[in-house]
Amino acid sequence: MSCILHIETSTDVCSVAVSEDSHVIFQQDDHSGPNHAERLGTMVDEALSFTDNHAIPFDAVAVSCGPGSYTGLRIGVSMAKGICYGRNLKLIAVPTLELLCVPVLLRELVPEGALLCPMLDARRMEVYAGLYDRALKPVREVRADVVDADTYREYLDKQPVYFFGNGAKKCMDIIQHPNAHYIDSIEPLAKWMQPLAERRLLSEQVEDVAYFVPFYLKDYVAKMPSKLI
């Protein structure tokens, strides 16, 4: 059995959790905005103090690896790598879009043959999206999609597709196909990482701490602050 520290910083929500033997025993979520640089260190310290006070040894650190916010991913992965170095722990990378599917599979009645389409807002009419079946087997690779009425038509014409995540809101008025279903209030939180992280740990699907980088999907483009233009 295992004890894993989970870190999720891919969106405006910052969250930390600890799981032991398939149960979440500690969790903290901060929904106050993109302030991960200020909040994550404190939240991780509290998680580490909790486990140290209960004499629970960690086996690994799991971190949401993207796609998502460039800054958020960098902060989360840097923190995870630092803890792995300091405590000689294994590093587990959990894809953010896969993570978004976990609460849907736990809470929603997704019919046989339906597809899951987690979406993260990539600004304007673009989303980071993937398509999965109910076993989380990828049906289509993760892409940055510019959404219009026909973006997912080849799948919608064949089966129900469930859209969710903070990118799905912008699609509701555009994709009106009868097989399109929308689920509200689904966020990538650290507490949902447990089944995905444990599966990777059991199969020794761990990362090289020295060389691991987040999956940004698109190259970062720095912009000049508006007050200097």
Side-chain angles (χ1 to χ4, degrees):
M1 307 304 281
S2 58
C3 181
I4 304 173
L5 173 67
H6 307 274
I7 296 173
E8 215 301 317
T9 55
S10 65
T11 65
D12 286 352
V13 182
C14 182
S15 61
V16 173
V18 176
S19 66
E20 183 187 26
D21 301 342
S22 302
H23 298 285
V24 175
I25 59 174
F26 175 95
Q27 68 178 76
Q28 276 196 16
D29 305 325
D30 187 319
H31 296 259
S32 61
N35 55 0
H36 305 338
E38 300 174 13
R39 292 289 298 127
L40 182 60
T42 300
M43 295 167 72
V44 167
D45 281 345
E46 292 178 9
L48 296 177
S49 295
F50 174 85
T51 53
D52 289 344
N53 289 339
H54 289 81
I56 303 172
F58 277 112
D59 297 286
V61 179
V63 64
S64 182
C65 64
S69 159
Y70 293 102
T71 302
L73 291 172
R74 284 197 296 270
I75 292 170
V77 169
S78 296
M79 177 66 73
K81 292 174 74 169
I83 297 167
C84 288
Y85 273 123
R87 297 197 173 211
N88 193 28
L89 300 175
K90 297 177 180 178
L91 177 64
I92 303 168
V94 175
T96 309
L97 295 178
E98 218 176 291
L99 171 60
L100 273 170
C101 294
V102 173
V104 173
L105 292 170
L106 291 175
R107 296 175 177 177
E108 302 289 333
L109 183 61
V110 179
E112 186 72 35
L115 296 180
L116 303 172
C117 186
M119 291 177 158
L120 289 173
D121 191 352
R123 299 184 180 178
R124 298 187 178 89
M125 284 312 299
E126 194 170 30
V127 296
Y128 300 135
L131 284 159
Y132 302 85
D133 64 17
R134 294 199 311 172
L136 289 185
K137 180 180 178 180
V139 174
R140 194 211 71 175
E141 74 277 9
V142 174
R143 297 179 195 164
D145 293 329
V146 178
V147 178
D148 60 34
D150 296 319
T151 304
Y152 305 100
R153 183 173 295 277
E154 64 178 295
Y155 304 99
L156 288 164
D157 284 344
K158 299 175 184 177
Q159 64 240 97
V161 180
Y162 286 75
F163 298 94
F164 49 90
N166 64 12
K169 295 178 182 178
K170 64 175 64 176
C171 302
M172 295 179 68
D173 295 330
I174 298 172
I175 301 175
Q176 295 288 325
H177 196 284
N179 270 338
H181 305 275
Y182 295 92
I183 305 173
D184 293 329
S185 304
I186 299 297
E187 297 175 309
L189 299 178
K191 65 180 179 180
W192 303 126
M193 297 173 73
Q194 173 267 318
L196 303 179
E198 283 204 356
R199 184 172 65 186
R200 284 168 169 77
L201 183 60
L202 287 172
S203 62
E204 289 295 322
Q205 188 179 343
V206 297
E207 308 298 329
D208 186 316
V209 177
Y211 295 103
F212 176 73
V213 294
F215 174 46
Y216 294 119
L217 189 58
K218 294 196 301 183
D219 292 332
Y220 176 70
V221 179
K223 295 182 179 180
M224 184 75 72
S226 57
K227 65 181 179 180
L228 297 181
I229 297 177

